[in-house]
Amino acid sequence: MASAYLTASSSTALGVPHPTLRCAMAGGLLSLEACLERCIPPEDLAEVKRILYGGEARKLNLPAAALSAAQERDFELQGYGFEAAPEQLRRPRIVRVGLVQNKIPLPTDTPVAVQVAALHRRIEEIVEVAALCGVNIICFQEAWTMPFAFCTREKLPWTEFAESAEDGPTTKFCQELAKKYNMVVVSPILERDEIHGGTLWNAAVVISNSGAVLGKSRKNHIPRIGDFNESTYYMEGNRGHPVFQTQFGTIAVNICYGRHHPLNWLMFSMNGAEIIFNPSATIGSLSESLWPIEARNAAIANHCFTCAINRVGTEYYKNAFTSGDGREAHHELGYFYGSSYVAAPDGSRTPGLSRVQDGLLVVEMDLNLCRQVSDKWNFKMTGRYEMYAEKLTEAVQPHFVPNIIQDYLPFGSYKRSW
Amino acid sequence: MASAYLTASSSTALGVPHPTLRCAMAGGLLSLEACLERCIPPEDLAEVKRILYGGEARKLNLPAAALSAAQERDFELQGYGFEAAPEQLRRPRIVRVGLVQNKIPLPTDTPVAVQVAALHRRIEEIVEVAALCGVNIICFQEAWTMPFAFCTREKLPWTEFAESAEDGPTTKFCQELAKKYNMVVVSPILERDEIHGGTLWNAAVVISNSGAVLGKSRKNHIPRIGDFNESTYYMEGNRGHPVFQTQFGTIAVNICYGRHHPLNWLMFSMNGAEIIFNPSATIGSLSESLWPIEARNAAIANHCFTCAINRVGTEYYKNAFTSGDGREAHHELGYFYGSSYVAAPDGSRTPGLSRVQDGLLVVEMDLNLCRQVSDKWNFKMTGRYEMYAEKLTEAVQPHFVPNIIQDYLPFGSYKRSW
């Protein structure tokens, strides 16, 4: 196992994993959409895309300099656009959003500061390309400055990756990027909250294109599943559902496991979010068939854009750990399958980024589409939120009586099959 | 138009539409899943199914008599199964559910009583096959005894299709089926509520396998979109979110447009539903790319099974009507695309029934899977419903102040692009 750890780690160094290894680890399919494109005959492909994805996403023409830089730096670069109808009183509100997915470039036993520096460098070279593509708002993956090490249940060195949201080195780094490129930066990190007992949070820092820290959003729902032992590191967020009215649009951040909770998306939307980012870290065996469903359902249900981001690759740890599933102790959490995508309020979506490679997804959207779809489908108008506020208030009472209508069958005739 | 109306109507008589016509109307694709099966090479197909559908659904071995009867009667018959892990203290709780999708067998200008009788006959011959397949609970499509005529905005003759939920002819018909086949029957109809001023409702009657009427569930959210002019016929349901504890499992009915409202699914689940039926009537141009997402997301989010049912075909009306979209007056609402399916709490799903043909989908499920998935993913435990009860109560107040953090930029530098 130790040799597998070393081999695999070194093979992912510098973001250039061995192609065969990475295919095997990813389950063999580099991208679902690429497979459909290759296999479905042209006469059916448009119809398959309409049913599966709400139609063919418009490809953006990205600058040649950006495309060649992405290729040199070994990351995928894709661009898509969503349109809205012209209106009389509002001009189009076009914004370009960037989603970044990446592997960790260095083995997890490299010194903490060296790992952070390498991630900063990697993100810097991706953001530079995003700027060439005219990106206005960029979001990185969950806990982007570190390996997703909570599977180990070890505290050191992993808690050393935590930083102040307001003035930690990563926030300062992002402020520089924001100013340099006139870009709003959403930076999900492990937060050390010194003024509240030094507690840890899973947070996202939102930085204005002016370079100012606008605020932060904390992960509202913490998983208790498999090796996602995060609840031993930090608690459920205590900042509610803030939205950030930036120069380019009103945005919110629903971190990772919060995508499973429809009420979480709803409250961000109630507060006015038009774009909700969902920076995540999730693995294939656990969630891959849920991945295309949940963020997209949230875009539909809340008449907004959602941006689902997942990291890529397998991260190896020196000390083996068990998983509460009877398996032998092992050195990795599982395969992070990338596949980052954007869903639009009309239910359409972009193809996903690759399952195996670092990537930047550039998506142009006209935010006017949110209100247009809302006025068409009317889910907010027909939502009956007063009723649900009451029902939910009842449902959380200790003596809640569920509305159950029980079948009456004559004595002796009620055959339970269980 | 009148001749198109007559031709198309007569071509759908007896449930045997002209194949070319129906292909053209359906957009050419008979079934998304059949297309994938045909086109994706075997070495990738399993992986594509894992990502798209959560894996390969187990095919049920259905009796030869059922298969040949279905073929004779010109409807598709498919069967799939979902398993759960064995437990020590609970026996498996295996139930077989049947979903029925169908065209209207007669033109819409046939006398009301004749149309209803023809639909009763059609359903009777499908339910007989369901009984051969061991179905325990069966659900028909929304407003199954009538064309989905609300697009016309005419009251007569369409309101004549309304019946008492408790003792109308359709309920009596379903009671006979329930007793004869020892089957729970979910019968969505247009309800005439005589004891409350003769108002109409869009309701589903739930009938015990003993033949007793257990109760009814009313459509909680009424669309205001396109030609779904239902809000001029009936109001939002006033019966809350009842669940029915039948001999075979605890079920609920979320009618049609309610599938767009995550809180609606949630409250059925809070009341204990393990299977939520979603009888619907929806058309391709409007919702087809939302269809695979919403009911499946609800199964995931609520740790339950969901059963999405849609009618099939195009229904023509004698009097032309406009659609509020600038188009000329026309005679049909659009193409109902069938594609009924079942989603499981683990996020996997069955393939959909055909987009063009009547069908019966038989799905065997072990209800123990609901609690097993709940204990694994813990969405209920981590749902923070107390917080959301408070937040939602605040959000519906007239003076609700959204949680907005506004960017501050020096005077003059805040360039609104809209």
Side-chain angles (χ1 to χ4, degrees):
Chain A
M1 288 305 278
S3 75
Y5 156 69
L6 290 172
T7 314
S9 293
S10 54
S11 76
T12 62
L14 306 174
V16 193
H18 185 279
T20 320
L21 181 65
R22 78 181 183 191
C23 285
M25 287 193 304
L29 207 61
L30 304 191
S31 147
L32 174 64
E33 288 78 14
C35 173
L36 298 178
E37 291 276 351
R38 197 178 63 238
C39 301
I40 311 273
E43 65 271 22
D44 288 331
L45 188 59
E47 188 66 357
V48 165
K49 284 183 179 172
R50 182 181 70 81
I51 298 175
L52 273 183
Y53 298 126
E56 176 92 49
R58 175 172 63 90
K59 285 282 268 181
L60 288 186
N61 277 325
L62 298 175
L67 290 163
S68 66
Q71 196 166 24
E72 273 165 32
R73 294 166 191 187
D74 191 34
F75 66 87
E76 184 186 10
L77 173 60
Q78 297 285 345
Y80 299 96
F82 295 104
E83 272 93 45
E87 299 182 18
Q88 293 192 20
L89 301 184
R90 294 195 303 183
R91 283 156 56 184
R93 293 187 294 140
I94 309 289
V95 56
R96 284 203 177 187
V97 160
L99 282 62
V100 180
Q101 68 175 35
N102 60 281
K103 293 180 289 291
I104 50 168
L106 293 180
T108 59
D109 58 350
T110 313
V112 168
V114 177
Q115 289 189 62
V116 173
L119 276 156
H120 282 195
R121 276 199 309 279
R122 181 59 171 157
I123 287 299
E124 193 167 24
E125 63 183 13
I126 297 176
V127 171
E128 191 179 42
V129 173
L132 289 174
C133 297
V135 164
N136 306 113
I137 308 174
I138 200 158
C139 182
F140 312 135
Q141 65 201 19
E142 182 184 19
W144 73 269
T145 63
M146 62 184 291
F148 211 72
F150 312 112
C151 52
T152 63
R153 284 176 290 138
E154 302 159 352
K155 293 293 164 117
L156 287 176
W158 317 118
T159 56
E160 293 192 75
F161 284 92
E163 299 182 29
S164 157
E166 285 70 26
D167 55 11
T170 293
T171 295
K172 285 180 177 152
F173 165 79
C174 292
Q175 290 179 286
E176 290 308 311
L177 292 178
K179 268 190 292 198
K180 182 169 177 190
Y181 297 120
N182 189 33
M183 206 183 280
V184 171
V185 176
V186 180
S187 168
I189 59 167
L190 185 62
E191 179 196 2
R192 173 78 69 184
D193 184 4
E194 289 295 357
I195 66 167
H196 293 99
T199 51
L200 296 178
W201 300 96
N202 185 316
V205 186
V206 178
I207 296 157
S208 161
N209 51 316
S210 72
V213 174
L214 280 181
K216 60 193 172 188
S217 191
R218 284 173 175 162
K219 186 170 181 172
N220 277 328
H221 300 267
I222 310 295
R224 276 85 168 165
I225 175 166
D227 280 331
F228 290 82
N229 301 309
E230 297 162 63
S231 66
T232 63
Y233 293 84
Y234 40 78
M235 291 293 282
E236 278 74 10
N238 58 353
R239 314 268 297 190
H241 298 79
V243 305
F244 302 89
Q245 199 170 341
T246 75
Q247 187 168 346
F248 306 111
T250 304
I251 67 173
V253 198
N254 174 351
I255 303 177
C256 197
Y257 185 74
R259 77 181 169 282
H260 307 300
H261 292 87
L263 279 160
N264 199 32
W265 296 102
L266 175 69
M267 283 313 305
F268 287 119
S269 170
M270 285 289 205
N271 283 323
E274 294 179 303
I275 307 170
I276 307 178
F277 292 95
N278 176 233
S280 299
T282 184
I283 56 172
S285 56
L286 189 63
S287 66
E288 196 162 358
S289 61
L290 282 55
W291 181 251
I293 304 298
E294 294 167 307
R296 191 167 162 208
N297 190 75
I300 295 166
N302 299 294
H303 306 312
C304 66
F305 289 92
T306 59
C307 306
I309 304 170
N310 186 24
R311 64 174 60 203
V312 186
T314 304
E315 300 174 352
Y316 294 88
Y317 298 96
K318 197 164 190 171
N319 302 327
F321 54 89
T322 56
S323 293
D325 58 1
R327 274 192 303 153
E328 262 185 69
H330 46 93
H331 294 265
E332 84 298 319
L333 173 57
Y335 187 76
F336 296 104
Y337 51 83
S339 308
S340 304
Y341 70 96
V342 172
D346 63 3
S348 63
R349 56 159 286 185
T350 70
L353 286 178
S354 148
R355 300 179 66 248
V356 297
Q357 199 188 358
D358 287 9
L360 168 65
L361 179 63
V362 177
V363 179
E364 182 178 284
M365 46 184 78
D366 182 344
L367 297 180
N368 285 353
L369 187 61
C370 300
R371 199 175 78 179
Q372 288 175 15
V373 173
S374 181
D375 285 353
K376 175 185 175 193
W377 273 108
N378 285 313
F379 299 153
K380 286 267 167 41
M381 179 175 100
T382 58
R384 306 187 74 182
Y385 300 116
E386 291 82 357
M387 173 178 75
Y388 290 109
E390 270 178 48
K391 296 260 180 205
L392 207 52
T393 304
E394 286 166 26
V396 297
Q397 299 310 313
H399 301 296
F400 171 54
V401 180
N403 186 353
I404 298 174
I405 295 166
Q406 194 146 9
D407 195 359
Y408 167 79
L409 284 170
F411 183 74
S413 71
Y414 192 82
K415 289 169 294 178
R416 293 177 68 119
S417 57
W418 55 93
Chain B
M1 290 305 276
S3 74
Y5 156 68
L6 289 172
T7 314
S9 294
S10 54
S11 79
T12 63
L14 307 174
V16 192
H18 186 278
T20 319
L21 180 66
R22 78 181 182 191
C23 286
M25 288 194 301
L29 206 62
L30 304 192
S31 147
L32 173 65
E33 286 78 15
C35 174
L36 298 178
E37 291 276 351
R38 197 179 61 238
C39 301
I40 311 274
E43 64 272 21
D44 287 332
L45 188 58
E47 189 66 356
V48 165
K49 285 184 179 172
R50 181 181 71 82
I51 298 175
L52 273 183
Y53 299 125
E56 176 93 49
R58 175 173 62 89
K59 286 280 269 181
L60 287 187
N61 278 325
L62 298 176
L67 291 163
S68 66
Q71 196 166 22
E72 273 165 33
R73 295 167 190 186
D74 190 34
F75 67 87
E76 185 186 9
L77 173 60
Q78 297 285 347
Y80 299 97
F82 294 104
E83 271 95 47
E87 299 182 16
Q88 293 193 21
L89 300 185
R90 295 196 302 183
R91 281 156 58 182
R93 292 186 296 140
I94 308 291
V95 55
R96 284 202 176 187
V97 160
L99 282 62
V100 180
Q101 67 175 36
N102 60 280
K103 295 179 290 289
I104 51 168
L106 293 180
T108 60
D109 58 350
T110 314
V112 168
V114 178
Q115 289 188 64
V116 173
L119 277 157
H120 282 196
R121 274 199 308 279
R122 182 58 172 158
I123 288 299
E124 192 167 24
E125 63 184 12
I126 297 176
V127 172
E128 190 178 41
V129 173
L132 289 174
C133 297
V135 163
N136 306 113
I137 308 175
I138 199 158
C139 182
F140 312 135
Q141 65 201 17
E142 181 183 19
W144 73 270
T145 63
M146 61 183 292
F148 211 71
F150 312 113
C151 52
T152 64
R153 285 177 289 137
E154 302 158 351
K155 293 295 164 114
L156 287 176
W158 317 118
T159 56
E160 293 192 74
F161 283 93
E163 299 182 28
S164 157
E166 285 70 26
D167 54 12
T170 293
T171 294
K172 284 182 178 151
F173 166 78
C174 292
Q175 290 179 286
E176 289 308 312
L177 292 178
K179 269 190 292 197
K180 183 168 175 188
Y181 297 121
N182 188 33
M183 205 183 280
V184 171
V185 176
V186 180
S187 169
I189 59 167
L190 186 62
E191 178 195 2
R192 174 78 70 183
D193 184 4
E194 288 296 356
I195 65 166
H196 293 98
T199 52
L200 296 178
W201 300 97
N202 185 316
V205 186
V206 179
I207 296 158
S208 160
N209 53 315
S210 71
V213 175
L214 279 180
K216 60 193 173 190
S217 190
R218 284 172 175 163
K219 187 169 179 171
N220 276 328
H221 300 268
I222 310 295
R224 277 86 167 164
I225 175 166
D227 281 331
F228 290 82
N229 301 309
E230 297 161 64
S231 65
T232 64
Y233 293 84
Y234 41 78
M235 293 293 282
E236 278 74 10
N238 59 354
R239 314 269 298 192
H241 298 80
V243 304
F244 302 89
Q245 198 171 340
T246 76
Q247 188 169 345
F248 305 112
T250 303
I251 67 174
V253 196
N254 174 352
I255 304 177
C256 198
Y257 186 74
R259 79 180 168 282
H260 307 299
H261 292 86
L263 279 161
N264 198 32
W265 296 102
L266 175 69
M267 283 313 307
F268 286 120
S269 169
M270 285 290 205
N271 283 323
E274 293 180 303
I275 307 169
I276 307 179
F277 292 96
N278 176 231
S280 300
T282 185
I283 57 173
S285 56
L286 188 65
S287 66
E288 195 162 359
S289 62
L290 282 55
W291 182 251
I293 305 297
E294 294 168 306
R296 192 166 161 208
N297 190 76
I300 295 166
N302 298 294
H303 306 312
C304 66
F305 289 93
T306 60
C307 305
I309 304 170
N310 186 24
R311 63 174 63 202
V312 186
T314 305
E315 300 173 354
Y316 294 89
Y317 299 95
K318 196 163 189 172
N319 302 327
F321 55 88
T322 56
S323 294
D325 58 2
R327 273 193 303 153
E328 262 185 67
H330 47 93
H331 294 265
E332 82 300 319
L333 172 57
Y335 187 76
F336 296 104
Y337 52 81
S339 307
S340 305
Y341 70 96
V342 172
D346 62 3
S348 64
R349 56 159 286 185
T350 69
L353 285 178
S354 149
R355 299 180 65 247
V356 297
Q357 199 188 358
D358 289 8
L360 167 66
L361 180 62
V362 177
V363 178
E364 183 177 284
M365 46 185 77
D366 183 344
L367 297 180
N368 285 353
L369 187 61
C370 300
R371 199 174 79 180
Q372 288 175 15
V373 172
S374 180
D375 285 352
K376 175 185 175 192
W377 272 107
N378 286 312
F379 300 153
K380 286 268 167 44
M381 180 175 99
T382 59
R384 305 187 73 182
Y385 300 116
E386 291 82 358
M387 174 178 75
Y388 290 109
E390 269 179 47
K391 297 260 180 206
L392 207 53
T393 303
E394 285 166 28
V396 298
Q397 298 310 313
H399 302 296
F400 170 56
V401 180
N403 185 354
I404 298 174
I405 296 166
Q406 193 147 8
D407 194 359
Y408 167 80
L409 285 170
F411 182 74
S413 72
Y414 191 82
K415 292 167 292 179
R416 291 178 68 117
S417 58
W418 54 94

